[in-house]
Amino acid sequence: MNSIILQTATRYLLPLLLLFSLFLLWRGHNEPGGGFVGGLVAASAIALQAIAFGPARARQAVRIDLRALIAIGLITALVSGIPALMRGDSYMQAYWMDLGHESIGYIKVGTPLIFDIGVYLTVIGVALLMIITVAEE
Amino acid sequence: MEVLLAIVIGILFACGLYMMMRRSIVKLVIGLALLGHAANLVIFVAGGLRRGAPPLVPTGADAPPELVADPLPQALVLTAIVISFGVVAFTLVLVKRTWQAVGNDDIDLMRATDT
Amino acid sequence: MSSLALILPLLIPLATAGVGILAWRSRRLQRAIGLIGSVVLVIASVWLFVLVREEGIQSLQIANWQAPFGITLVGDLLSVALVLATAVMGVCVIVYSFGSVDRARESFFYYPLMHVLLMGINGAFLTGDLFNLYVWFEVMLISSFVLLALGGERAQLEGALKYVTLNLASSVIFLTGIGVVYGVAGTLNFADLALKLSAFEEQGIVTTLSMILFITFGVKAAIFPLFFWLPASYHTPPAAVSAIFAGMLTKVGVYALIRVFTLIFNQDISYTHTLILVVAGFTMVTGVLGAAAQHEFRRILSFHIISQIGYMIMGLGLMVSGNPAAVRLAIAGAFFYIIHNIVAKSNLFLISGVANKLRGSYELSRLGGLYASNPALSLLFLISAFALAGVPPLSGFFGKLMLVRAGLEAEAYVIVAVALGVGLLTLFSMTKIWAEAFWKPAPDESDDESAGESPGKAAVRQPGMALMMAPIIFLAVLAVALGVFFEPVYNFSIDMADQILDPRAYIEAVLPPEYIEQVRGGVK
């Protein structure tokens, strides 16, 4: 598609949507959001790129091969359960820790976040692979 | 509300089955997708409809303060939606490839594997 | 350590698939990863098997969310034995693929997909609740869809379309069933369902639920009259894919039927299990008659899968008799039959692939003269075919013997007669393949002397042939061994049947004791 409005809008929307997807990913554990939704938003941002500038540009925008992205996502999700196995707990048992300092406050980081990141990457990879493959034909 | 949703589910099943009976493979996929939605709604309704608060326990308490919605059917439906999303996407690609290979979207012409 | 042993059969294939995708550039690396992953899977399965054999049923609550609220994995003798069989079949099929699968498929993630398929199968065997069974079914189905359609020939795509449609329809029924089960019982955990449904007041609803699930698993297991997707699709992909499908996928359906109809729906046995028994009889007969009408190597075998499923379901249906000794023998027989069938049937599909490689066709009319050119292959075919038909002392004979004995003790004479008759017809079909593909002279020998012989000879020297023959030889030896060393396998089957028929052990292994007390108390 060759629409100057869409192309201009996409330039502004892409970073915003990606930022929003990260926001969804981050708040996902306790509030609506999470890896899956975040991944879909990120994938739709790049799909928008594909609609505006063509699938080749979208592949470039991801930089990394989509299949590799799926694999990395799967392995990340899988690894998030390993710490529990090493401590003899049940697989995927969640561990949390507080990062930060009194003066600036704390953020909670834990193994579910790693799992969510894995889901996020896998969803981006799968969704984009499907969209771009069909778009390229 | 249950009655209304039950009717909706019935209509979805009917439409889905009707679409699956058509001869076009594209309509077959639409029919399958509709059936999937109907099944998801069945889970949703069977789990009990309730106008409740989200099932979150406030800090310090060990039970939710009021009557909450059952989160499990929603988790199940969400999972099922994700799965059917993937499956339908795959089926669409399959339908497209089949259409390219057969040159037609008429199911009655696809008899290469029947006896 | 049980937590690690139960999760490994799922983690290993997933990790292998992930690493395999990353290595997509190098075909050799992909092969190496695929093989290593499957061998490690066998080791992990053996460990799990030994653990469960020695220490009883193992269960794992993922992320320590207690049953019945969390995701539960359960390993009892039935599931771990099937996981082990899956792993062994995985190695066989992957080695066979090295010699038979073309470059295009290999570079399109053939091996990672195979491992995802193995993960789905293992997950279905090990899961402890209904919804996760659905999820694993879908994992299994999606990878099998892709494996089936990979290559994109017209017959493949048409077969895949039918397979996809019918399996998705069955998934929808499954999902609906899950919704209703949750609405009725408020739980989806197998053990919890067993506890709650047996005390449920309106047993009519429970029977209805059992029928919804019967249809769902019936489609997956390809029972009469829900089997049409199977003969329409199983003969289209490469032989290696056909073999793992034939060996494992329908067995997952049978496993689900056995699990559900022994553990959960055992209240109205006189209705449900009689129905199962009748369906078993029809499945056997239609399958074997369908095979008799076919003249294509793999189509004959596909129809035989259906008739063999009938035998397994028969073992389950014989629970109706109420005679404990007969029921025990019947369940043990069904289990033995599953294991035997995984070995013999997959091997026949693998052999059909070799015949295709030698002669370039699966049509019986165009095959021929294989005995003259490949006596060793013919011998291996005979072993597997006779095992399938039930010729002593091969594995199929003892499977049938156990089921027939159980049927006689249960005084279900009609089904016994059907089973024996179908056995004869199976032998007839196998003789047909033997006569057409192996015994008769090669068809085009008369008009073109070189065409019939030289491709065969050339193919024998192909380097891939050794890789294709190794798993076939291994499985044929296994089929003989299952017969010759019948006693330990028999003892194991009986132990397994005892465990299956006493759901208390399963329930106690999964649920915390206080919870069981509470549910039992609340019911009274």
Side-chain angles (χ1 to χ4, degrees):
Chain A
M1 196 188 287
N2 212 349
S3 147
I4 194 132
I5 300 176
L6 186 63
Q7 289 182 354
T8 318
T10 305
R11 277 203 195 95
Y12 291 106
L13 278 175
L14 184 68
L16 276 179
L17 280 169
L18 286 179
L19 210 59
F20 181 57
S21 80
L22 285 176
F23 167 70
L24 282 176
L25 166 70
W26 179 253
R27 78 201 286 260
H29 192 71
N30 288 329
E31 280 169 282
F36 183 76
V37 188
L40 279 185
V41 171
S44 63
I46 295 163
L48 196 64
Q49 182 95 346
I51 295 170
F53 301 101
R57 273 285 292 275
R59 268 195 202 273
Q60 268 177 13
V62 187
R63 284 164 205 278
I64 174 171
D65 189 286
L66 291 172
R67 294 167 292 189
L69 199 61
I70 298 175
I72 293 169
L74 283 178
I75 293 171
T76 314
L78 188 153
V79 163
S80 73
I82 304 290
L85 282 182
M86 291 199 306
R87 283 184 40 177
D89 278 333
S90 189
Y91 182 67
M92 286 224 166
Q93 174 139 14
Y95 297 126
W96 293 95
M97 57 187 282
D98 291 324
L99 283 185
H101 189 265
E102 265 177 274
S103 54
I104 50 170
Y106 291 99
I107 49 170
K108 272 189 176 297
V109 179
T111 48
L113 185 66
I114 303 176
F115 181 80
D116 258 353
I117 292 171
V119 173
Y120 180 82
L121 296 177
T122 312
V123 168
I124 297 180
V126 172
L128 280 181
L129 195 62
M130 290 190 296
I131 293 168
I132 292 182
T133 314
V134 176
E136 274 171 351
E137 282 191 7
Chain B
M1 193 63 184
E2 269 92 351
V3 178
L4 185 66
L5 273 175
I7 293 170
V8 171
I9 291 166
I11 292 173
L12 277 175
F13 264 115
C15 295
L17 286 173
Y18 175 72
M19 291 300 253
M20 282 180 74
M21 302 293 163
R22 305 292 295 274
R23 283 167 62 173
S24 153
I25 42 175
V26 179
K27 289 175 181 149
L28 177 75
V29 179
I30 298 175
L32 281 173
L34 286 180
L35 284 187
H37 297 326
N40 287 340
L41 275 182
V42 170
I43 299 183
F44 191 58
V45 178
L49 293 175
R50 190 172 297 149
R51 264 176 203 281
L56 294 176
V57 183
T59 325
D62 54 358
E66 51 189 318
L67 207 58
V68 295
D70 185 354
L72 193 80
Q74 301 179 19
L76 301 185
V77 170
L78 186 63
T79 314
I81 288 175
V82 172
I83 290 174
S84 66
F85 164 70
V87 173
V88 167
F90 169 77
T91 320
L92 278 175
V93 175
L94 181 67
V95 160
K96 192 173 178 198
R97 289 275 146 78
T98 315
W99 177 72
Q100 284 166 344
V102 181
N104 202 313
D105 77 335
D106 189 346
I107 288 180
D108 280 6
L109 295 176
M110 296 175 192
R111 292 198 168 151
T113 65
D114 291 348
T115 38
Chain C
M1 286 319 272
S2 79
S3 114
L4 189 60
L6 270 170
I7 198 79
L8 276 183
L10 306 178
L11 287 190
I12 293 168
L14 182 60
T16 314
V19 177
I21 296 175
L22 280 180
W24 82 91
R25 273 181 242 272
S26 158
R27 202 162 131 254
R28 185 173 291 176
L29 201 56
Q30 278 213 348
R31 287 182 166 194
I33 292 167
L35 183 64
I36 292 168
S38 59
V39 170
V40 175
L41 182 60
V42 170
I43 296 168
S45 308
V46 170
W47 179 33
L48 178 62
F49 182 84
V50 172
L51 191 73
V52 171
R53 184 82 170 127
E54 280 172 1
E55 295 177 15
I57 302 178
Q58 302 289 320
S59 75
L60 163 67
Q61 321 296 341
I62 301 243
N64 232 347
W65 293 94
Q66 279 311 310
F69 306 109
I71 295 174
T72 309
L73 295 180
V74 190
D76 66 349
L77 287 176
L78 174 63
S79 32
V80 296
L82 288 171
V83 165
L84 182 59
T86 312
V88 171
M89 283 312 302
V91 174
C92 290
V93 167
I94 282 174
V95 170
Y96 184 87
S97 304
F98 289 165
S100 65
V101 170
D102 50 279
R103 204 172 267 269
R105 282 197 176 83
E106 280 189 327
S107 58
F108 204 87
F109 307 116
Y110 175 82
Y111 298 110
L113 281 168
M114 199 58 107
H115 277 279
V116 176
L117 182 69
L118 293 178
M119 176 176 76
I121 297 170
N122 282 344
F125 287 145
L126 288 177
T127 182
D129 74 80
L130 213 47
F131 191 77
N132 279 292
L133 188 62
Y134 163 79
V135 173
W136 291 119
F137 269 165
E138 296 300 302
V139 170
M140 205 169 84
L141 284 178
I142 292 176
S143 48
S144 66
F145 294 164
V146 185
L147 281 173
L148 196 60
L150 217 59
E153 293 156 28
R154 177 172 171 168
Q156 270 192 313
L157 291 170
E158 288 186 17
L161 198 65
K162 289 164 193 170
Y163 179 89
V164 168
T165 309
L166 283 168
N167 275 297
L168 285 187
S170 113
S171 294
V172 167
I173 301 172
F174 194 5
L175 214 47
T176 315
I178 287 173
V180 183
V181 168
Y182 187 75
V184 169
T187 181
L188 293 171
N189 185 294
F190 285 152
D192 202 20
L193 278 175
L195 212 57
K196 284 183 174 155
L197 286 185
S198 60
F200 196 67
E201 281 171 7
E202 294 170 52
Q203 286 299 323
I205 294 181
V206 178
T207 311
T208 315
L209 290 179
S210 73
M211 286 299 110
I212 297 179
L213 294 184
F214 182 57
I215 290 174
T216 313
F217 300 146
V219 175
K220 312 276 181 205
I223 59 172
F224 174 86
L226 308 164
F227 58 76
F228 297 102
W229 55 271
L230 193 150
S233 60
Y234 269 24
H235 63 278
T236 57
V241 177
S242 289
I244 189 97
F245 281 18
M248 300 315 306
L249 292 197
T250 45
K251 309 302 179 294
V252 177
V254 175
Y255 163 81
L257 281 173
I258 293 180
R259 172 66 72 216
V260 165
F261 278 91
T262 53
L263 182 65
I264 302 174
F265 300 116
N266 49 13
Q267 297 90 20
D268 193 3
I269 282 184
S270 62
Y271 176 76
T272 51
H273 288 64
T274 309
L275 187 78
I276 293 176
L277 202 57
V278 173
V279 166
F282 276 110
T283 310
M284 284 188 239
V285 174
T286 43
V288 85
L289 290 183
Q294 297 296 326
H295 292 279
E296 204 254 30
F297 205 142
R298 286 198 289 175
R299 285 193 195 209
I300 297 179
L301 296 179
S302 300
F303 272 103
H304 273 296
I305 299 176
I306 299 164
S307 91
Q308 309 290 327
I309 294 294
Y311 284 97
M312 301 161 204
I313 305 294
M314 169 186 162
L316 181 62
L318 283 174
M319 269 179 81
V320 77
S321 80
N323 172 355
V327 171
R328 195 166 84 149
L329 194 60
I331 296 288
F335 167 76
F336 185 83
Y337 211 91
I338 292 175
I339 297 292
H340 138 72
N341 196 250
I342 290 173
V343 172
K345 177 63 77 185
S346 309
N347 205 17
L348 285 172
F349 270 97
L350 295 180
I351 290 170
S352 80
V354 176
N356 178 51
K357 189 158 186 171
L358 292 172
R359 289 288 187 272
S361 174
Y362 288 105
E363 289 292 334
L364 286 186
S365 59
R366 294 180 56 198
L367 291 168
L370 284 172
Y371 179 71
S373 61
N374 302 67
L377 180 71
S378 314
L379 181 70
L380 293 169
F381 172 79
L382 267 191
I383 292 174
S384 306
F386 280 169
L388 193 73
V391 174
L394 297 162
S395 56
F397 170 73
F398 291 104
K400 286 203 172 73
L401 184 68
M402 283 163 86
L403 287 170
V404 166
R405 272 295 298 270
L408 289 177
E409 279 179 34
E411 299 178 351
Y413 299 115
V414 180
I415 195 83
V416 168
V418 170
L420 291 173
V422 169
L424 270 183
L425 286 172
T426 310
L427 193 58
F428 160 74
S429 270
M430 291 300 130
T431 338
K432 183 165 85 182
I433 300 182
W434 170 254
E436 292 277 329
F438 291 89
W439 198 246
K440 83 167 185 221
D444 39 4
E445 218 167 24
S446 51
D447 39 271
D448 189 350
E449 191 68 35
S450 61
E453 281 298 308
S454 62
K457 292 260 165 61
V460 175
R461 286 193 298 271
Q462 282 177 7
M465 199 49 100
L467 289 169
M468 289 168 80
M469 291 305 283
I472 294 179
I473 295 169
F474 172 73
L475 288 175
V477 170
L478 207 57
V480 176
L482 275 178
V484 175
F485 301 103
F486 174 62
E487 204 178 333
V489 190
Y490 173 81
N491 290 337
F492 176 83
S493 307
I494 291 289
D495 286 351
M496 195 254 8
D498 283 338
Q499 201 180 66
I500 282 282
L501 291 170
D502 182 19
R504 269 177 312 177
Y506 187 96
I507 295 172
E508 279 160 17
V510 175
L511 297 171
E514 315 87 64
Y515 181 83
I516 301 178
E517 282 300 309
Q518 196 188 333
V519 172
R520 289 224 169 102
V523 163
K524 277 159 199 160

